[in-house]
PDB file of all heavy atoms in Angstrom:
ATOM      1  N   GLN T   2      -0.189-141.780  24.712  1.00 97.00           N
ATOM      2  CA  GLN T   2       0.567-140.945  25.635  1.00 97.00           C
ATOM      3  C   GLN T   2      -0.415-140.020  26.345  1.00 97.00           C
ATOM      4  O   GLN T   2      -1.327-139.494  25.724  1.00 97.00           O
ATOM      5  CB  GLN T   2       1.580-140.092  24.867  1.00 97.00           C
ATOM      6  CG  GLN T   2       2.560-140.899  24.022  1.00 97.00           C
ATOM      7  CD  GLN T   2       3.435-139.967  23.203  1.00 97.00           C
ATOM      8  OE1 GLN T   2       4.382-139.401  23.718  1.00 97.00           O
ATOM      9  NE2 GLN T   2       3.112-139.802  21.935  1.00 97.00           N
ATOM     10  N   VAL T   3      -0.222-139.811  27.642  1.00 98.00           N
ATOM     11  CA  VAL T   3      -1.117-138.947  28.410  1.00 98.00           C
ATOM     12  C   VAL T   3      -0.299-137.803  29.008  1.00 98.00           C
ATOM     13  O   VAL T   3       0.767-138.016  29.583  1.00 98.00           O
ATOM     14  CB  VAL T   3      -1.849-139.729  29.514  1.00 98.00           C
ATOM     15  CG1 VAL T   3      -2.762-138.808  30.310  1.00 98.00           C
ATOM     16  CG2 VAL T   3      -2.653-140.874  28.907  1.00 98.00           C
ATOM     17  N   PHE T   4      -0.830-136.595  28.865  1.00 97.00           N
ATOM     18  CA  PHE T   4      -0.160-135.390  29.339  1.00 97.00           C
ATOM     19  C   PHE T   4      -1.084-134.617  30.261  1.00 97.00           C
ATOM     20  O   PHE T   4      -2.292-134.591  30.058  1.00 97.00           O
ATOM     21  CB  PHE T   4       0.217-134.493  28.151  1.00 97.00           C
ATOM     22  CG  PHE T   4       1.072-135.187  27.133  1.00 97.00           C
ATOM     23  CD1 PHE T   4       0.497-135.896  26.087  1.00 97.00           C
ATOM     24  CD2 PHE T   4       2.450-135.168  27.239  1.00 97.00           C
ATOM     25  CE1 PHE T   4       1.278-136.558  25.162  1.00 97.00           C
ATOM     26  CE2 PHE T   4       3.244-135.836  26.313  1.00 97.00           C
ATOM     27  CZ  PHE T   4       2.660-136.531  25.273  1.00 97.00           C
ATOM     28  N   THR T   5      -0.502-133.974  31.260  1.00 97.00           N
ATOM     29  CA  THR T   5      -1.237-133.057  32.123  1.00 97.00           C
ATOM     30  C   THR T   5      -1.037-131.669  31.532  1.00 97.00           C
ATOM     31  O   THR T   5       0.093-131.250  31.292  1.00 97.00           O
ATOM     32  CB  THR T   5      -0.702-133.107  33.562  1.00 97.00           C
ATOM     33  OG1 THR T   5      -0.826-134.438  34.055  1.00 97.00           O
ATOM     34  CG2 THR T   5      -1.473-132.162  34.466  1.00 97.00           C
ATOM     35  N   VAL T   6      -2.160-130.965  31.293  1.00 97.00           N
ATOM     36  CA  VAL T   6      -2.099-129.650  30.666  1.00 97.00           C
ATOM     37  C   VAL T   6      -2.824-128.643  31.557  1.00 97.00           C
ATOM     38  O   VAL T   6      -4.001-128.805  31.861  1.00 97.00           O
ATOM     39  CB  VAL T   6      -2.739-129.675  29.256  1.00 97.00           C
ATOM     40  CG1 VAL T   6      -2.650-128.305  28.609  1.00 97.00           C
ATOM     41  CG2 VAL T   6      -2.057-130.724  28.375  1.00 97.00           C
ATOM     42  N   GLU T   7      -2.108-127.601  31.963  1.00 94.00           N
ATOM     43  CA  GLU T   7      -2.673-126.547  32.805  1.00 94.00           C
ATOM     44  C   GLU T   7      -3.256-125.448  31.927  1.00 94.00           C
ATOM     45  O   GLU T   7      -2.700-125.122  30.886  1.00 94.00           O
ATOM     46  CB  GLU T   7      -1.584-125.953  33.706  1.00 94.00           C
ATOM     47  CG  GLU T   7      -0.958-126.940  34.667  1.00 94.00           C
ATOM     48  CD  GLU T   7      -1.915-127.457  35.716  1.00 94.00           C
ATOM     49  OE1 GLU T   7      -2.820-126.709  36.122  1.00 94.00           O
ATOM     50  OE2 GLU T   7      -1.764-128.613  36.134  1.00 94.00           O
ATOM     51  N   GLY T   8      -4.377-124.887  32.364  1.00 92.00           N
ATOM     52  CA  GLY T   8      -4.937-123.729  31.692  1.00 92.00           C
ATOM     53  C   GLY T   8      -6.061-124.020  30.714  1.00 92.00           C
ATOM     54  O   GLY T   8      -6.577-123.098  30.092  1.00 92.00           O
ATOM     55  N   MET T   9      -6.443-125.276  30.554  1.00 94.00           N
ATOM     56  CA  MET T   9      -7.554-125.608  29.660  1.00 94.00           C
ATOM     57  C   MET T   9      -8.866-125.360  30.393  1.00 94.00           C
ATOM     58  O   MET T   9      -9.007-125.764  31.541  1.00 94.00           O
ATOM     59  CB  MET T   9      -7.518-127.090  29.253  1.00 94.00           C
ATOM     60  CG  MET T   9      -6.291-127.537  28.538  1.00 94.00           C
ATOM     61  SD  MET T   9      -6.449-129.251  27.964  1.00 94.00           S
ATOM     62  CE  MET T   9      -6.732-130.157  29.479  1.00 94.00           C
ATOM     63  N   SER T  10      -9.824-124.700  29.707  1.00 92.00           N
ATOM     64  CA  SER T  10     -11.082-124.429  30.397  1.00 92.00           C
ATOM     65  C   SER T  10     -12.315-124.482  29.509  1.00 92.00           C
ATOM     66  O   SER T  10     -13.427-124.400  30.020  1.00 92.00           O
ATOM     67  CB  SER T  10     -11.007-123.058  31.070  1.00 92.00           C
ATOM     68  OG  SER T  10     -10.799-122.061  30.084  1.00 92.00           O
ATOM     69  N   CYS T  11     -12.143-124.595  28.183  1.00 94.00           N
ATOM     70  CA  CYS T  11     -13.320-124.476  27.316  1.00 94.00           C
ATOM     71  C   CYS T  11     -13.119-125.201  25.986  1.00 94.00           C
ATOM     72  O   CYS T  11     -12.060-125.764  25.723  1.00 94.00           O
ATOM     73  CB  CYS T  11     -13.613-123.008  27.054  1.00 94.00           C
ATOM     74  SG  CYS T  11     -12.285-122.175  26.153  1.00 94.00           S
ATOM     75  N   GLY T  12     -14.137-125.132  25.171  1.00 94.00           N
ATOM     76  CA  GLY T  12     -14.094-125.760  23.856  1.00 94.00           C
ATOM     77  C   GLY T  12     -13.012-125.178  22.966  1.00 94.00           C
ATOM     78  O   GLY T  12     -12.415-125.885  22.157  1.00 94.00           O
ATOM     79  N   HIS T  13     -12.745-123.882  23.116  1.00 94.00           N
ATOM     80  CA  HIS T  13     -11.666-123.274  22.329  1.00 94.00           C
ATOM     81  C   HIS T  13     -10.330-123.934  22.668  1.00 94.00           C
ATOM     82  O   HIS T  13      -9.511-124.190  21.789  1.00 94.00           O
ATOM     83  CB  HIS T  13     -11.578-121.771  22.578  1.00 94.00           C
ATOM     84  CG  HIS T  13     -10.382-121.144  21.931  1.00 94.00           C
ATOM     85  ND1 HIS T  13     -10.310-120.898  20.589  1.00 94.00           N
ATOM     86  CD2 HIS T  13      -9.193-120.768  22.451  1.00 94.00           C
ATOM     87  CE1 HIS T  13      -9.115-120.382  20.308  1.00 94.00           C
ATOM     88  NE2 HIS T  13      -8.427-120.290  21.425  1.00 94.00           N
ATOM     89  N   CYS T  14     -10.104-124.201  23.945  1.00 95.00           N
ATOM     90  CA  CYS T  14      -8.875-124.862  24.383  1.00 95.00           C
ATOM     91  C   CYS T  14      -8.762-126.245  23.740  1.00 95.00           C
ATOM     92  O   CYS T  14      -7.691-126.636  23.271  1.00 95.00           O
ATOM     93  CB  CYS T  14      -8.846-125.003  25.900  1.00 95.00           C
ATOM     94  SG  CYS T  14      -8.886-123.432  26.802  1.00 95.00           S
ATOM     95  N   VAL T  15      -9.865-126.971  23.737  1.00 96.00           N
ATOM     96  CA  VAL T  15      -9.878-128.312  23.140  1.00 96.00           C
ATOM     97  C   VAL T  15      -9.490-128.225  21.668  1.00 96.00           C
ATOM     98  O   VAL T  15      -8.637-128.976  21.192  1.00 96.00           O
ATOM     99  CB  VAL T  15     -11.266-128.972  23.305  1.00 96.00           C
ATOM    100  CG1 VAL T  15     -11.337-130.280  22.534  1.00 96.00           C
ATOM    101  CG2 VAL T  15     -11.582-129.191  24.777  1.00 96.00           C
ATOM    102  N   ARG T  16     -10.102-127.299  20.934  1.00 97.00           N
ATOM    103  CA  ARG T  16      -9.801-127.136  19.510  1.00 97.00           C
ATOM    104  C   ARG T  16      -8.354-126.722  19.290  1.00 97.00           C
ATOM    105  O   ARG T  16      -7.674-127.248  18.406  1.00 97.00           O
ATOM    106  CB  ARG T  16     -10.732-126.109  18.864  1.00 97.00           C
ATOM    107  CG  ARG T  16     -12.102-126.644  18.536  1.00 97.00           C
ATOM    108  CD  ARG T  16     -12.905-125.682  17.674  1.00 97.00           C
ATOM    109  NE  ARG T  16     -13.013-124.345  18.255  1.00 97.00           N
ATOM    110  CZ  ARG T  16     -13.868-124.001  19.215  1.00 97.00           C
ATOM    111  NH1 ARG T  16     -14.699-124.893  19.704  1.00 97.00           N
ATOM    112  NH2 ARG T  16     -13.903-122.761  19.672  1.00 97.00           N
ATOM    113  N   ALA T  17      -7.872-125.778  20.093  1.00 97.00           N
ATOM    114  CA  ALA T  17      -6.503-125.281  19.924  1.00 97.00           C
ATOM    115  C   ALA T  17      -5.484-126.392  20.148  1.00 97.00           C
ATOM    116  O   ALA T  17      -4.525-126.536  19.370  1.00 97.00           O
ATOM    117  CB  ALA T  17      -6.244-124.121  20.887  1.00 97.00           C
ATOM    118  N   ILE T  18      -5.690-127.186  21.177  1.00 97.00           N
ATOM    119  CA  ILE T  18      -4.761-128.269  21.483  1.00 97.00           C
ATOM    120  C   ILE T  18      -4.837-129.355  20.418  1.00 97.00           C
ATOM    121  O   ILE T  18      -3.811-129.854  19.936  1.00 97.00           O
ATOM    122  CB  ILE T  18      -5.022-128.819  22.898  1.00 97.00           C
ATOM    123  CG1 ILE T  18      -4.569-127.785  23.917  1.00 97.00           C
ATOM    124  CG2 ILE T  18      -4.333-130.166  23.116  1.00 97.00           C
ATOM    125  CD1 ILE T  18      -4.991-128.055  25.329  1.00 97.00           C
ATOM    126  N   THR T  19      -6.041-129.720  20.028  1.00 97.00           N
ATOM    127  CA  THR T  19      -6.213-130.748  18.992  1.00 97.00           C
ATOM    128  C   THR T  19      -5.555-130.308  17.697  1.00 97.00           C
ATOM    129  O   THR T  19      -4.799-131.070  17.078  1.00 97.00           O
ATOM    130  CB  THR T  19      -7.712-131.043  18.771  1.00 97.00           C
ATOM    131  OG1 THR T  19      -8.268-131.503  20.006  1.00 97.00           O
ATOM    132  CG2 THR T  19      -7.907-132.100  17.703  1.00 97.00           C
ATOM    133  N   GLN T  20      -5.808-129.088  17.278  1.00 97.00           N
ATOM    134  CA  GLN T  20      -5.227-128.583  16.034  1.00 97.00           C
ATOM    135  C   GLN T  20      -3.711-128.459  16.117  1.00 97.00           C
ATOM    136  O   GLN T  20      -3.017-128.696  15.133  1.00 97.00           O
ATOM    137  CB  GLN T  20      -5.862-127.249  15.656  1.00 97.00           C
ATOM    138  CG  GLN T  20      -7.304-127.406  15.219  1.00 97.00           C
ATOM    139  CD  GLN T  20      -8.011-126.076  14.980  1.00 97.00           C
ATOM    140  OE1 GLN T  20      -7.496-125.007  15.313  1.00 97.00           O
ATOM    141  NE2 GLN T  20      -9.201-126.151  14.407  1.00 97.00           N
ATOM    142  N   ALA T  21      -3.193-128.087  17.282  1.00 97.00           N
ATOM    143  CA  ALA T  21      -1.741-127.959  17.444  1.00 97.00           C
ATOM    144  C   ALA T  21      -1.060-129.305  17.224  1.00 97.00           C
ATOM    145  O   ALA T  21      -0.051-129.400  16.520  1.00 97.00           O
ATOM    146  CB  ALA T  21      -1.414-127.416  18.830  1.00 97.00           C
ATOM    147  N   VAL T  22      -1.618-130.353  17.818  1.00 98.00           N
ATOM    148  CA  VAL T  22      -1.023-131.691  17.663  1.00 98.00           C
ATOM    149  C   VAL T  22      -1.211-132.183  16.235  1.00 98.00           C
ATOM    150  O   VAL T  22      -0.270-132.686  15.604  1.00 98.00           O
ATOM    151  CB  VAL T  22      -1.637-132.684  18.679  1.00 98.00           C
ATOM    152  CG1 VAL T  22      -1.149-134.097  18.409  1.00 98.00           C
ATOM    153  CG2 VAL T  22      -1.295-132.268  20.104  1.00 98.00           C
ATOM    154  N   GLN T  23      -2.412-132.010  15.695  1.00 98.00           N
ATOM    155  CA  GLN T  23      -2.680-132.518  14.354  1.00 98.00           C
ATOM    156  C   GLN T  23      -1.964-131.722  13.268  1.00 98.00           C
ATOM    157  O   GLN T  23      -1.789-132.227  12.167  1.00 98.00           O
ATOM    158  CB  GLN T  23      -4.186-132.579  14.095  1.00 98.00           C
ATOM    159  CG  GLN T  23      -4.834-133.682  14.926  1.00 98.00           C
ATOM    160  CD  GLN T  23      -6.327-133.784  14.749  1.00 98.00           C
ATOM    161  OE1 GLN T  23      -6.989-132.840  14.334  1.00 98.00           O
ATOM    162  NE2 GLN T  23      -6.869-134.940  15.097  1.00 98.00           N
TER     163      GLN T  23
END
Side-chain angles (χ1 to χ4, degrees):
Q2 303 175 79
V3 179
F4 304 89
T5 301
V6 181
E7 298 294 328
M9 300 186 301
S10 61
C11 63
H13 173 76
C14 299
V15 173
R16 281 190 305 280
I18 289 169
T19 300
Q20 290 174 350
V22 173
Q23 290 179 338

